[in-house]
Amino acid sequence: MLNEPTTHALFEAAREAMGFAHAPYSKFPVGAAIRAEDGKVYKGANIENLSFPQGWCAEPTAISAMVMGGARQIKEIAVIAEKLALCPPCGGCRQKIAEFASADTKVYLCDETGVQKVMTMDELLPFSFKTEL
């Protein structure tokens, strides 16, 4: 699973996105890449603001790109941080991801060499807010 070409491509997209992070205050660049139901990959990086913590994490930045691209369902997501291997999404991001994911959506936690841990959304956030739309 960790060495599949599509999984590695998602890792590479997250790592590339991390290079666009604007993190002058925390000095903690993060990248995320989503594969949506349309098969496309949408990327995001954290974008900080002087009015810390009023910036954006990488995951909602990628979600925004996905929504603006016309997709609505996260099939899998990879997250990488420059200074913390296997950095999971923060609590707020977990709920934001859950809004567009299913319980079995795969979440890939990466280090500088690739995907090192695979979780499901249900494992990452077992008691997320849910609603019938």
Side-chain angles (χ1 to χ4, degrees):
M1 163 57 97
L2 299 181
N3 295 320
E4 289 182 10
T6 57
T7 304
H8 186 72
L10 203 59
F11 155 71
E12 289 291 345
R15 186 168 64 175
E16 179 182 312
M18 185 174 60
F20 289 95
H22 177 72
Y25 309 107
S26 71
K27 310 253 187 289
F28 193 81
V30 179
I34 291 168
R35 187 176 323 280
E37 83 275 7
D38 61 4
K40 294 180 183 173
V41 173
Y42 299 92
K43 300 182 284 189
N46 56 324
I47 304 168
E48 295 177 353
N49 182 296
L50 183 58
S51 181
F52 196 73
Q54 295 302 311
W56 300 268
C57 293
E59 299 89 341
T61 303
I63 291 169
S64 296
M66 179 188 76
V67 169
M68 294 307 295
R72 292 289 187 272
Q73 182 67 38
I74 298 170
K75 293 299 181 185
E76 52 188 351
I77 181 169
V79 180
I80 184 170
E82 184 178 272
K83 296 181 179 180
L84 179 63
L86 311 183
C87 181
C90 72
C93 287
R94 291 175 193 206
Q95 186 61 49
K96 288 176 179 95
I97 294 165
E99 182 78 15
F100 296 93
S102 66
D104 62 344
T105 294
K106 290 193 175 21
V107 179
Y108 304 122
L109 304 182
C110 306
D111 68 9
E112 69 280 354
T113 64
V115 175
Q116 299 301 322
K117 184 167 182 67
V118 181
M119 304 179 74
T120 64
M121 216 29 236
D122 196 48
E123 291 170 324
L124 190 63
L125 187 63
F127 297 105
S128 65
F129 289 113
K130 295 186 173 127
T131 184
E132 298 293 324
L133 294 178

